[in-house]
Amino acid sequence: NLSLIILKYFYLGDFKYAPGTIASFFIAVIWFFIPNIFFVQLLILVFHIFFGFYFCYKFISNTNETDPGYIVIDEVVGMMIALFLIPKSIPIYVASFILFRFLDILKPSFIHRSQDYGYGLGIMLDDIIAGIIVLIVIQGYC
């Protein structure tokens, strides 16, 4: 089923422990090898955002679950945003990964409230916001 493949991001969501962390790490490793060319990264990101929102909406429309742990497309998108055009440096990538996971797990303030949006939006929004905050912090550091 294509919907579950996307939502679980090629079954990374099936890991028993910390599927969001595993998916985020996987994307960080893959993204390191994607060149820092604006349109290349933007195209990949927009593609993932579109399908993430679409399949989250379909999921919420067909189930009573709100944000199960096996859905990791949101972590994938959030991590991609956090790494968007940052320098290809392992320490910077590690810092981005740690900060993203920190914000995604603790969900301070408005990040937590963003989960309350319906129609599958809340599944994606908290990670998108966390990714944007990480991107701003890391770009400010670089």
Side-chain angles (χ1 to χ4, degrees):
N1 176 322
L2 179 62
S3 181
L4 283 178
I5 291 171
I6 299 299
L7 290 172
K8 294 180 178 184
Y9 208 70
F10 304 98
Y11 304 105
L12 289 173
D14 286 336
F15 277 88
K16 186 174 181 177
Y17 299 106
T21 300
I22 291 167
S24 299
F25 180 77
F26 176 79
I27 288 304
V29 171
I30 297 299
W31 202 262
F32 190 82
F33 296 100
I34 295 174
N36 275 359
I37 299 170
F38 179 80
F39 289 111
V40 170
Q41 288 193 5
L42 184 64
L43 182 64
I44 294 168
L45 181 58
V46 168
F47 175 81
H48 281 79
I49 290 171
F50 174 78
F51 282 106
F53 275 118
Y54 175 75
F55 286 113
C56 285
Y57 172 77
K58 271 185 68 172
F59 175 81
I60 290 297
S61 299
N62 296 318
T63 185
N64 292 332
E65 295 181 85
T66 55
D67 190 1
Y70 60 81
I71 293 180
V72 294
I73 186 66
D74 52 335
E75 278 87 2
V76 167
V77 168
M79 194 74 238
M80 286 179 175
I81 292 170
L83 300 173
F84 190 74
L85 296 177
I86 67 168
K88 302 293 183 185
S89 160
I90 291 175
I92 293 173
Y93 266 63
V94 168
S96 298
F97 172 78
I98 291 170
L99 184 56
F100 175 73
R101 292 308 300 150
F102 175 80
L103 291 174
D104 185 35
I105 292 167
L106 293 183
K107 297 183 191 332
S109 183
F110 60 91
I111 296 175
H112 180 71
R113 288 193 304 272
S114 70
Q115 296 180 111
D116 296 337
Y117 287 99
Y119 308 104
L121 295 174
I123 295 173
M124 295 285 292
L125 279 180
D126 64 316
D127 295 279
I128 288 173
I129 293 168
I132 291 169
I133 290 170
V134 172
L135 179 62
I136 291 168
V137 168
I138 295 298
Q139 287 289 3
Y141 171 77
C142 295

